[in-house]
Amino acid sequence: MSKVKYYYDSETLSYKKIERRKRKTLKYVSLFILASALFAFLFVFLASQFVQSPKERALARELQHMELQYQLLNKKMDEAQSVLANVEERDNSIYRLYFEANPIPEEQRKAGFGGVNRYKDLEGFDNSKIIVETNKRMDILQKQIVVQSKSLDEIAILAADKEKFLASIPAIQPISNEDMTRIASGYGYRTDPFTKVKKFHYGMDFTAPRGTPVYATGDGTVVRADNASSGYGNHIRIDHGYGYVSLYGHLYKYNVRVNQKVKRGDLIGFVGSTGRSQGPHIHYEIFKDDERINPMNFYYGHLSAEEYSILLERASLENQSLD
């Protein structure tokens, strides 16, 4: 049973019953509810500013972890960039220089990406800057690796060709030092054994007993093995490629046939004295682009420095040739 409340009326000098109107009661209730709601909102707002929910704390940890991963990724890219820069330097300064290939320009190696914004979808976030910069670095690094990979592919091809070239060009004497009696004549003006007149001798004469082995001085293909060339008698010509041809004259007999592939050091024939010759010897010539050149420049693969000096001295004597 609710208590009845009274108030004292000074005009009538009597107590009167307090009657609460429903409208006023509703007003007070509404004000109380509104104040409570406002207080609750302020409490939640302030709590959200200073106190994180479990979900927010989990998201914050995940964000920190992501930032750490991007930092580690950038550090690894720094290391990869350093290694790649070293490879690029060696590529331009050593490999490409050795194989006579033009260096790759710096602007080509480190070119960016023009045109449309490739990273538009990564913008507008709290960590967009680090994400965009990391992706840019990654794309440029990948492009540099592709450029370097193609360069090394080119170097591999050049190296294989260089190896083939070094194996092909004449680089040894046609007969061994043990079998050689002496160097009868070198490249240059010599006295003709038949006319006794000085004329240009286009090869080198190595004297040796009849039947002494004669060796191919470089890899190549036998293009002639006959006696149909004036003065050379039985002779062999080997095409080494790259414009080089070697000739072996006055042979006793052959050990190869036309179109046969030979390697440096293969036995191709035997010393003789056929054709225009005054005694058993091998007449040796080298052609470059159909021009006869001095064979003295092509013994780097066979002789020591001392042996080469002796050979050069003997070959320079203006004596009489044997053919």
Side-chain angles (χ1 to χ4, degrees), residues 13-294:
L13 302 174
S14 62
Y15 288 96
K16 290 184 178 181
K17 186 178 180 180
I18 296 175
E19 295 181 356
R20 184 172 293 176
R21 296 178 182 178
K22 291 183 178 180
R23 181 179 296 178
K24 202 169 188 179
T25 300
L26 182 62
K27 179 181 178 182
Y28 288 147
V29 171
S30 299
L31 286 173
F32 176 77
I33 293 173
L34 181 62
S36 299
L38 181 60
F39 178 78
F41 174 78
L42 289 174
F43 177 80
V44 171
F45 175 76
L46 292 174
S48 66
Q49 296 298 312
F50 300 102
V51 180
Q52 291 183 328
S53 68
K55 185 176 181 179
E56 287 175 330
R57 285 196 294 270
L59 289 174
R61 286 195 299 269
E62 186 175 340
L63 183 60
Q64 289 177 348
H65 180 71
M66 184 200 73
E67 290 177 349
L68 177 62
Q69 291 302 313
Y70 270 97
Q71 291 172 1
L72 292 174
L73 180 59
N74 275 278
K75 185 176 180 181
K76 289 180 180 179
M77 281 195 290
D78 288 338
E79 295 172 354
Q81 189 70 54
S82 176
V83 173
L84 182 60
N86 182 264
V87 174
E88 290 173 343
E89 175 65 22
R90 284 184 290 162
D91 184 40
N92 274 351
S93 304
I94 301 176
Y95 308 144
R96 302 186 72 82
L97 185 65
Y98 177 77
F99 294 110
E100 301 176 355
N102 292 326
I104 297 176
E106 191 72 9
E107 55 271 18
Q108 182 179 341
R109 288 187 181 275
K110 292 182 169 53
F113 298 89
V116 298
N117 185 359
R118 300 163 57 91
Y119 313 101
K120 186 176 181 180
D121 295 340
L122 302 176
E123 296 175 347
F125 302 99
D126 292 340
N127 296 284
S128 289
K129 184 176 180 181
I130 187 173
I131 296 173
V132 170
E133 290 302 318
T134 302
N135 278 271
K136 281 183 180 180
R137 290 192 64 192
M138 181 65 75
D139 289 341
I140 292 175
L141 184 61
Q142 287 177 335
K143 184 175 180 180
Q144 288 178 252
I145 291 173
V146 169
V147 172
Q148 184 57 54
S149 176
K150 290 182 178 179
S151 176
L152 291 178
D153 288 342
E154 182 185 354
I155 292 299
I157 294 172
L158 292 172
D161 191 58
K162 189 85 169 182
E163 184 179 4
K164 181 182 177 183
F165 169 75
L166 292 175
S168 297
I169 61 172
I172 63 173
Q173 292 179 165
I175 61 175
S176 67
N177 279 335
E178 293 78 9
D179 297 329
M180 183 173 59
T181 305
R182 65 186 179 92
I183 299 171
S185 180
Y187 182 89
Y189 282 98
R190 301 291 184 268
T191 302
D192 185 282
F194 298 99
T195 64
K196 306 303 179 182
V197 175
K198 277 193 175 182
K199 71 174 187 177
F200 204 91
H201 187 247
Y202 287 98
M204 293 187 69
D205 293 339
F206 299 91
T207 60
R210 183 174 181 268
T212 298
V214 176
Y215 305 101
T217 56
D219 297 0
T221 303
V222 177
V223 291
R224 290 187 64 173
D226 57 56
N227 61 358
S229 189
S230 177
Y232 292 118
N234 296 333
H235 80 293
I236 293 172
R237 300 191 194 203
I238 299 175
D239 186 348
H240 302 278
Y242 308 96
Y244 289 95
V245 174
S246 58
L247 181 150
Y248 314 78
H250 312 301
L251 299 174
Y252 161 57
K253 63 179 180 179
Y254 314 112
N255 194 54
V256 291
R257 61 185 183 281
V258 175
N259 295 325
Q260 180 177 333
K261 301 288 185 183
V262 295
K263 294 287 186 182
R264 179 181 294 148
D266 283 354
L267 176 63
I268 59 173
F270 302 92
V271 171
S273 187
T274 58
R276 193 174 184 272
S277 171
Q278 275 207 334
H281 74 286
I282 180 75
H283 176 80
Y284 179 60
E285 292 184 8
I286 293 179
F287 295 77
K288 176 65 170 73
D289 298 326
D290 297 325
E291 296 289 333
R292 287 179 285 195
I293 57 179
N294 193 344

